[in-house]
């Protein structure tokens, strides 16, 4: 995990070989779009804009445009309905962003939610020491990938990647280097050993990536919470924090929710909301932001059952992702070094254009959080078990995913350049966003064949005004049909409905499928029945079960 595992301290990157690209993946690269093109596409098509762009932007803050907000809402709905609607024993809340400052003392964030910082004395730039080391490790991983790609090229279909990895001396040398660094980094991070982090940077000869200078300061801890001040209380007493995770809003409400819903253990509380972290390294577009949205679920269980529930949630969450994304893009990544209050933790990683990175974390958090709140608040955070007639502080298994990261993963996988289906000419290509129809921002676009014919326009508008009551649709007559189709492909609209001169005669329209480009003629009265079930959330939700 590249972020915190649970409240308190960030977890270091650990060695993780054996997951590099398969030959199949290398083949598919030809149609995938590079990261720069993806960010440009996101802006040009109304998905994501830089925050306050007219003032040259604010780093690590982004705004969702008209298509972006629709897509993000659909992703959030997919998560919420999977969690809350489809589980009798999971309920939702919406806690406030501001919480009593003692919350963050109890959770460990005030004392230990830190990043190790290092400054370059020449360039005056600030870096995260662990990220500098991780970037160095990524370069080594890149060299391993290169060797594997060379092997694939040399041996073609006979290439046995596992065998190659186990025997190629270059790969083995790089793997050993990588593992040694990973181990040192993990130990230094777990021990909070800032001097050792600096030593690793010096030993590896890591330079400022922009200037090449190796003139570094010592490494020091930097707390990531944003703070603000209450208007009516001066000084420390009035200091408030913007929540760095939504989870604590769930923990402090545990007894409220349990009592008012009369839920019995095991049960979960889910929440979607904003979180804020003063990230030092804020880059890679919406992957790491200072203001972002989390979708978290705390599952409260009987102590001693955590291993079983941890495994169940791991499986359930992976299934949820697989309903949206291919298996080759996803993997588990175990944590070797656990924080003292966790007894198991794993990331679900996604292959972003810059490599496999954390998308979601699943953490067995023991009774750490409820126990800490009980102690500091003096209020009981216990559950009376009607079967055993005992009271205890429940254990917790948490699932935590960033909505923005999920958005980026979805765009990364869905956006592609491809040869136009049904066309022989390989140079005849299109850019298409192959989103699952249930999460596509717009489900169908309705367009008249000619915009200067009132009969076509009126019929298209009638269809639009009917369908808009059922799902998200768009009316468009601002260009030629070919141009309008391409525009809809670029934002992932699964269906285009065209009203032509036959439509006026017989009341039928053409429906074009985004992926196959097949066109069928359908009576206008049958449109809702045909498209509705294919763009609804039901199929997606079912396939995630
Ligand atoms: N409550 C546990 C927790 O917050 P985390 O791994 O720090 O764990 C969970 O965060 C998820 O939140 C991550 O897997 C990631 O998807 C998302 N996330 C964390 N920091 C982020 C950031 N700066 N920008 C965007 N998403 C972030």
């Amino acid at each position: 995990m590249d972020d915190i595992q649970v409240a308190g301290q960030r977890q270091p990157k650990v060695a993780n070989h054996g997951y590099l690209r398969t030959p199949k993946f290398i083949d598919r690269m030809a149609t995938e779009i590079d990261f720069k093109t993806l960010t440009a596409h996101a802006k040009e098509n109304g998905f994501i804009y830089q925050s306050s762009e007219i003032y040259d932007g604010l780093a690590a803050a982004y705004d969702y445009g008209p298509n972006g907000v629709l897509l993000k809402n659909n992703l959030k709905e997919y998560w919420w309905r999977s969690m809350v609607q489809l589980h009798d024993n999971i309920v939702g809340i919406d806690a406030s962003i501001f919480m009593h400052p003692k919350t963050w003392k109890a959770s460990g964030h005030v004392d230990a939610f830190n990043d190790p910082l290092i400054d370059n004395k020449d360039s005056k730039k600030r870096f995260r020491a662990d990220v500098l080391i991780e970037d160095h490790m990524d370069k080594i991983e890149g060299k391993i990938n290169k060797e594997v790609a060379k092997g694939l090229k040399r041996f073609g279909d006979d290439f046995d990647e596992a065998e190659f990895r186990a025997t190629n001396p270059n790969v083995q040398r790089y793997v050993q280097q990588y593992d040694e660094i990973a181990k040192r980094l993990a130990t230094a991070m777990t021990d909070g050993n800032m001097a050792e982090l600096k030593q690793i940077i010096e030993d590896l000869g890591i330079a400022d990536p922009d200037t090449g200078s190796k003139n570094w300061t010592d490494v020091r801890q930097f707390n990531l919470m944003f703070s603000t001040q209450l208007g009516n209380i001066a000084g420390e007493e009035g200091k408030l924090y913007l929540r760095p995770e939504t989870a604590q809003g769930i923990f402090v409400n545990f007894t409220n929710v349990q009592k008012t819903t009369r839920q019995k253990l095991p049960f979960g509380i889910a929440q979607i909301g904003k979180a804020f972290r003063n990230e030092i390294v804020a880059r890679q577009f919406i992957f790491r932001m200072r203001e972002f949205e989390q979708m978290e679920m705390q599952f409260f269980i009987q102590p001693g059952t955590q291993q079983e529930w941890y495994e169940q949630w791991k499986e359930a969450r992976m299934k949820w992702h697989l309903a949206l994304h291919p298996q080759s893009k996803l993997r588990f990544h175990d944590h070797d070094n656990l924080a003292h209050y966790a007894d198991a933790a794993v990331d679900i990683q996604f292959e972003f254009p810059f490599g496999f990175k954390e998308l979601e974390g699943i953490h067995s958090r023991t009774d750490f959080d409820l126990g800490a709140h009980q102690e500091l608040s003096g209020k009981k955070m216990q559950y009376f078990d009607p079967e055993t007639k005992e009271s205890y502080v429940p254990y917790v298994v948490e699932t935590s995913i960033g909505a923005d990261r999920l958005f980026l993963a979805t765009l990364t996988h869905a956006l592609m350049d491809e040869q136009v289906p049904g066309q022989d000419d390989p140079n005849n290509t299109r850019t298409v966003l192959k989103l699952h129809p249930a999460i596509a921002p717009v489900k169908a676009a309705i367009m008249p064949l000619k915009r200067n014919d009132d009969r076509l326009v009126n019929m298209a508008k009638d269809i639009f005004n009917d369908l808009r009551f059922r799902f998200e649709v768009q009316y468009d007559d601002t260009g030629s049909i070919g141009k309008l189709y391409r525009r809809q492909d670029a934002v992932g609209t699964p269906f285009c409905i065209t009203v032509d001169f036959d439509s006026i005669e017989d009341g039928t329209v053409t429906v074009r499928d985004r992926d196959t480009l097949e066109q069928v003629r359908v009576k206008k009265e049958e449109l809702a029945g045909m498209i509705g079930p294919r763009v609804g959330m039901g199929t997606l939700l079912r396939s995630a079960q």
Side-chain angles (χ1 to χ4, degrees):
M1 132 191 304
D2 52 21
D3 303 296
I4 61 159
Q5 170 192 339
V6 281
Q9 89 197 62
R10 293 204 178 213
Q11 291 301 298
K13 183 167 179 152
V14 290
N16 186 35
H17 304 298
Y19 292 113
L20 299 180
R21 284 177 185 146
T22 60
K24 189 166 160 255
F25 182 73
I26 294 171
D27 287 346
R28 273 198 306 110
M29 293 281 284
T31 58
E32 292 196 346
I33 279 180
D34 65 70
F35 198 39
K36 216 167 146 204
T37 313
L38 184 139
T39 54
H41 187 95
K43 180 181 173 189
E44 282 156 21
N45 290 280
F47 285 97
I48 296 169
Y49 313 124
Q50 175 76 61
S51 160
S52 347
E53 198 187 75
I54 58 165
Y55 296 106
D56 296 333
L58 178 70
Y62 290 91
D63 300 337
Y64 285 81
N67 285 318
V69 69
L70 290 170
L71 172 54
K72 194 180 185 198
N73 283 344
N74 290 340
L75 289 169
K76 290 194 285 186
E77 187 187 338
Y78 173 43
W79 184 88
W80 185 266
R81 289 177 63 178
S82 303
M83 281 293 177
V84 181
Q85 186 174 321
L86 294 180
H87 286 95
D88 295 340
N89 62 347
I90 298 182
V91 293
I93 64 163
D94 183 12
S96 65
I97 287 171
F98 288 138
M99 299 180 68
H100 194 287
K102 280 188 179 170
T103 308
W104 307 110
K105 186 75 190 157
S107 68
H109 283 85
V110 171
D111 296 323
F113 189 47
N114 298 323
D115 268 350
L117 273 195
I118 191 164
D119 289 286
N120 188 280
K121 290 185 201 162
D122 296 330
S123 69
K124 311 273 180 262
K125 283 204 175 135
R126 182 164 286 180
F127 298 89
R128 249 175 75 182
D130 57 330
V131 171
L132 282 177
I133 299 167
E134 284 183 3
D135 286 349
H136 186 86
M137 289 162 64
D138 283 346
K139 280 188 194 145
I140 299 176
E141 198 164 17
K143 288 180 187 170
I144 300 173
N145 279 337
K146 244 190 184 153
E147 293 292 335
V148 173
K150 272 199 303 200
L152 171 67
K153 209 168 160 197
R154 188 153 17 112
F155 298 113
D157 285 346
D158 296 333
F159 183 61
D160 179 340
E161 188 177 327
E163 166 84 13
F164 185 81
R165 278 170 190 290
T167 53
N168 182 278
N170 288 345
V171 170
Q172 295 210 307
R173 199 179 61 251
Y174 291 137
V175 166
Q176 192 187 347
Q177 280 174 14
Y178 185 103
D179 286 349
E180 276 168 14
I181 301 168
K183 204 165 151 213
R184 273 183 84 183
L185 174 61
T187 312
M189 291 292 285
T190 308
D191 298 347
N193 188 343
M194 300 298 112
E196 169 65 357
L197 285 177
K198 168 116 188 246
Q199 195 58 53
I200 301 174
I201 289 172
E202 283 180 349
D203 290 350
L204 298 174
I206 295 174
D208 177 330
D210 300 325
T211 63
S213 161
K214 294 180 186 171
N215 193 5
W216 297 111
T217 61
D218 286 341
V219 180
R220 64 199 183 286
Q221 299 276 26
F222 174 82
N223 192 283
L224 292 170
M225 281 197 294
F226 282 104
S227 64
T228 185
Q229 192 70 28
L230 273 176
N232 56 350
I233 306 174
E236 270 299 301
E237 287 285 288
K239 191 172 179 182
L240 282 189
Y241 296 101
L242 271 69
R243 66 181 177 198
E245 63 169 4
T246 56
Q248 296 304 324
I250 294 179
F251 287 123
V252 299
N253 275 301
F254 165 72
T255 46
N256 278 340
V257 174
Q258 195 273 319
K259 284 189 178 132
T260 49
T261 59
R262 290 173 295 283
Q263 286 281 350
K264 290 197 173 61
L265 253 56
F267 81 94
I269 305 179
Q271 176 171 217
I272 299 178
K274 289 264 182 166
F276 304 83
R277 295 181 189 178
N278 200 352
E279 300 282 0
I280 316 304
V281 180
R283 50 176 191 192
Q284 291 159 334
F285 196 34
I286 56 170
F287 180 80
R288 191 183 309 286
M289 301 196 285
R290 298 203 168 101
E291 174 184 341
F292 57 99
E293 218 165 349
Q294 286 188 315
M295 308 192 280
E296 298 201 293
M297 194 279 298
Q298 314 294 320
F299 201 66
F300 299 92
I301 54 175
Q302 198 181 8
T305 62
Q306 65 269 31
Q307 185 60 30
E308 178 194 324
W309 283 112
Y310 175 70
E311 293 303 332
Q312 282 203 28
W313 277 111
K314 258 179 81 174
E315 193 190 325
R317 293 306 300 149
M318 185 54 102
K319 233 176 171 181
W320 186 89
H321 285 284
L322 286 171
L324 268 189
H325 301 126
Q327 189 138 29
S328 61
K329 288 268 174 195
L330 293 158
R331 71 184 187 191
F332 284 119
H333 180 101
D334 276 319
H335 291 221
D336 289 347
N337 297 56
L338 298 172
H340 62 279
Y341 34 78
D343 61 9
V346 68
D347 292 341
I348 292 179
Q349 293 189 330
F350 182 86
E351 189 176 41
F352 291 96
F354 37 85
F356 269 105
K357 299 277 174 200
E358 174 189 351
L359 173 58
E360 168 155 6
I362 298 149
H363 316 126
S364 175
R365 288 178 81 135
T366 69
D367 58 357
F368 174 81
D369 301 270
L370 288 182
H373 287 306
Q374 176 168 276
E375 197 177 323
L376 197 63
S377 68
K379 306 275 167 21
K380 277 207 168 6
M381 300 298 264
Q382 295 191 342
Y383 171 76
F384 176 73
D385 192 323
E387 278 168 28
T388 62
K389 309 275 185 254
E390 278 175 342
S391 287
Y392 51 81
V393 176
Y395 268 40
V396 170
V397 171
E398 164 186 76
T399 73
S400 174
I401 177 170
D404 313 274
R405 262 187 215 182
L406 176 65
F407 188 108
L408 182 59
T410 306
L411 271 196
T412 302
H413 163 58
L415 186 61
M416 58 189 74
D417 276 334
E418 68 167 18
Q419 188 178 335
V420 176
Q423 302 279 319
D424 293 333
D425 180 2
N427 295 320
N428 191 356
T429 61
R430 64 167 182 164
T431 301
V432 57
L433 194 59
K434 288 198 176 168
L435 294 169
H436 190 293
I439 57 162
V442 176
K443 309 304 184 191
I446 299 109
M447 41 196 68
L449 187 63
K450 291 207 177 317
R451 66 176 146 171
N452 50 10
D453 188 306
D454 285 348
R455 295 166 307 163
L456 299 182
V457 168
N458 290 339
M459 186 169 167
K461 284 191 174 165
D462 283 348
I463 293 171
F464 167 69
N465 283 320
D466 174 43
L467 292 181
R468 73 193 314 186
F469 285 95
R470 302 167 195 263
F471 39 79
E472 193 70 41
V473 282
Q474 214 170 60
Y475 172 83
D476 198 356
D477 65 6
T478 57
S480 69
I481 284 292
K483 201 166 157 195
L484 298 185
Y485 282 163
R486 292 288 176 271
R487 203 183 282 164
Q488 295 299 332
D489 285 347
V491 299
T493 307
F495 298 104
C496 285
I497 298 166
T498 306
V499 175
D500 56 24
F501 292 103
D502 287 344
S503 310
I504 299 162
E505 301 300 318
D506 62 10
T508 65
V509 293
T510 60
V511 179
R512 169 193 182 263
D513 181 293
R514 177 198 67 198
D515 299 339
T516 61
L517 298 193
E518 273 167 13
Q519 300 202 10
V520 287
R521 271 207 100 77
V522 177
K523 283 207 173 92
K524 66 177 169 42
E525 295 77 18
E526 289 168 4
L527 284 169
M530 175 200 168
I531 295 174
R534 292 164 74 178
V535 299
M537 211 41 96
T539 320
L540 181 60
L541 287 168
R542 274 209 179 82
S543 59
Q545 292 309 298

